[in-house]
């Protein structure tokens, strides 16, 4: 255990300065975060190349998180670990008590960080597109939690109580000495419903949207974990009995932050209720999540570690709100144009065709009830679609005339415009199933899933 303090210093978590000098830790952070920077660049370049290749072939590469209702969306699994500048993975459990103690220090630092800054982590994946995906029973919900697996959770529980249970017997457990049980490698299914899952020697953050840069999620995770490691380092550096303090720190963090650990089904309604009981934030939409960026505790941690200053934070806050508003506005205007210029003309053309059929049947003295029933349905849906288009257009003008608080503007888009878009879409979706395929102007869901376009 003698090298734990040195490892913490290597990672730059002591965050101490004297006489206004730059802390040595700030120089040591560069090798640790260099890999994050490279991975971010690679991911950004990959997205750009995908778009260019698609364009060369007359196609469009959709990076939207949920372009089609009822069809699984798309996201990114951001694998995150922390290593020294000589390549030592500090989230690797190791095989000795000393290694295990080091692992536990870094593990509980992550647990504490995710619990204390769950709102900031949720902000890091907040986009209009990702709102359609998160919690859609194909991606993690908006509630941030950590999956550790049953075996590691059992070890965590034993550490909290200080008692090792095995075959009906028990003994005292101390971190850093030989009585610590061997920490298992991951042997679970990794719980695909969890937003932040431990997978053997790293964490997998599964809430990142497919259209996003991974830069924001990564610098947020790096910052909040650096903060908790800094707090731990400050305690350990002052400790008279190092092993005793390690035990105390690990047990204290587990006790205070175990609420963030959940190994069950994150999609279930029961978990949403349980998370609320535990006091975990459930920021369901981007508009709910963006204000977390300017919460005072989050401003302080970003400023403390020199990541963003207050002006930069508020600038990003406003940009995120503006991006949300502009994205929803563009989508709403696109819906109106598609409905007016494509869907309504096709529906009216089919209404006329069915009306002619009804007239012909009546003229021939034949039974026209089936055709008449379909005509009535088509007329009703077409009229409803026209009314929805008009209503959405009016509300857009009203909302766009709004002056004042940007957050309230975004909330109006969320609470007023998006529901109207959903209502308008419902009529178009029903018409898609009724209108003659030869008249329908855009690919149907059947074409997309089973046909050749």
């Amino acid at each position: 255990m003698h090298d734990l303090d040195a490892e913490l210093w290597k990672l730059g978590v002591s965050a101490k300065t004297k006489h206004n000098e730059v802390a040595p830790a700030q120089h040591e952070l560069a090798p640790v975060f260099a890999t994050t920077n490279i991975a971010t660049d690679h991911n950004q370049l990959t997205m750009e190349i995908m778009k260019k290749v698609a364009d060369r072939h007359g196609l469009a590469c959709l990076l939207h998180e949920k372009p089609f209702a009822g069809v699984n969306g798309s996201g990114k699994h951001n694998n995150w670990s922390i290593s020294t500048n000589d390549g030592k993975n500090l989230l690797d459990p190791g095989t000795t008590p000393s290694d295990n103690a080091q692992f536990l220090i870094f593990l509980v630092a992550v647990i504490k960080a995710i619990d204390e800054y769950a709102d900031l982590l949720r902000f890091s994946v907040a986009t209009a597109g990702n709102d359609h995906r998160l919690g859609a029973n194909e991606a993690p919900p908006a509630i941030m939690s950590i999956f550790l697996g049953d075996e590691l959770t059992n070890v965590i529980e034993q550490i909290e109580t200080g008692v090792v249970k095995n075959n009906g017997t028990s003994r005292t457990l101390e971190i850093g000495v030989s009585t610590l049980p061997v920490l298992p490698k991951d042997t679970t299914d990794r719980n695909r419903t969890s937003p932040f899952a431990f997978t053997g020697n790293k964490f997998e953050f599964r809430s990142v949207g497919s259209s996003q840069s991974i830069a924001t999620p990564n610098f947020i995770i790096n910052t909040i974990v650096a903060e908790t490691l800094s707090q731990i380092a400050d305690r350990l550096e002052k400790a008279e009995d190092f092993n005793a303090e390690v035990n105390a720190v690990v047990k204290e963090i587990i006790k205070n932050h175990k609420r963030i650990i959940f190994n069950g089904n994150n999609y279930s309604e029961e978990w949403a209720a349980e998370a609320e009981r535990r006091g975990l934030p459930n920021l369901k939409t981007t508009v709910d999540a963006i204000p977390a960026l300017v919460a005072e505790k989050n401003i302080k941690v970003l400023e403390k570690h020199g990541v963003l200053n207050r002006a930069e934070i508020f600038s990003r806050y406003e940009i995120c709100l503006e991006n949300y508003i502009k994205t929803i506005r563009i989508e709403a205007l696109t819906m109106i144009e598609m409905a007016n210029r494509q869907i309504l003309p096709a529906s009216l053309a089919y209404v006329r065709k069915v009306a002619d059929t009804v007239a012909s049947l009546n003229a021939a003295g034949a039974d026209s009830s089936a055709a008449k029933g379909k005509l009535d349905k088509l007329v009703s849906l077409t009229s409803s679609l026209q009314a929805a288009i008009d209503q959405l257009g009016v509300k857009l003008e009203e909302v766009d005339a709004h002056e004042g608080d940007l957050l309230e503007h975004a909330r109006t888009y969320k609470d007023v415009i998006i529901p109207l878009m959903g209502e308008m879409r419902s009529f178009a979706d029903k018409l898609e199933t009724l209108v003659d395929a030869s008249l329908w102007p855009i690919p149907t869901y059947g074409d997309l899933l089973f046909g050749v376009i």
Side-chain angles (χ1 to χ4, degrees), residues 82-126:
I82 188 166
S83 302
T84 63
N85 56 0
D86 58 359
K88 184 175 184 179
N89 186 344
L90 297 165
L91 287 176
D92 192 336
T95 57
T96 68
S98 176
D99 288 338
N100 287 348
Q102 178 176 272
F103 161 75
L104 288 169
I105 284 288
F106 286 92
L107 177 69
V108 298
V110 174
I111 291 172
K112 185 175 189 288
I114 303 304
D115 185 26
E116 291 186 341
Y117 296 98
D119 57 343
L120 187 58
L121 189 64
R122 170 65 180 92
F123 155 78
S124 75
V125 294

Side-chain angles (χ1 to χ4, degrees), residues 11 13 29 32-37 40 78 80-82 113 121 214-229 301-302 305 307:
L11 284 166
V13 298
L29 276 171
V32 178
F33 295 141
T35 303
T36 300
N37 296 335
T40 300
N78 189 71
W80 183 91
S81 61
I82 188 166
L121 189 64
I214 60 173
T216 298
N218 278 318
F219 87 67
I220 294 295
I221 297 171
N222 290 344
T223 302
I224 62 179
V225 173
E227 171 60 19
T228 54
L229 285 170
V301 73
L302 292 168
H305 293 278
V307 177

Side-chain angles (χ1 to χ4, degrees), residues 202-255:
K202 58 182 170 58
F203 282 94
E204 193 172 342
F205 188 29
R206 302 191 180 117
S207 301
V208 185
S210 54
S211 66
Q212 280 190 271
S213 166
I214 60 173
T216 298
N218 278 318
F219 87 67
I220 294 295
I221 297 171
N222 290 344
T223 302
I224 62 179
V225 173
E227 171 60 19
T228 54
L229 285 170
S230 175
Q231 296 170 11
I232 293 170
D234 287 345
R235 283 186 59 174
L236 296 183
E237 287 159 9
K238 299 172 184 177
E240 295 182 2
D241 186 332
F242 192 80
N243 280 345
E245 190 66 15
V246 168
N247 271 276
V249 167
V250 172
K251 290 181 181 180
E252 179 184 307
I253 291 176
I254 293 171
K255 179 180 179 180

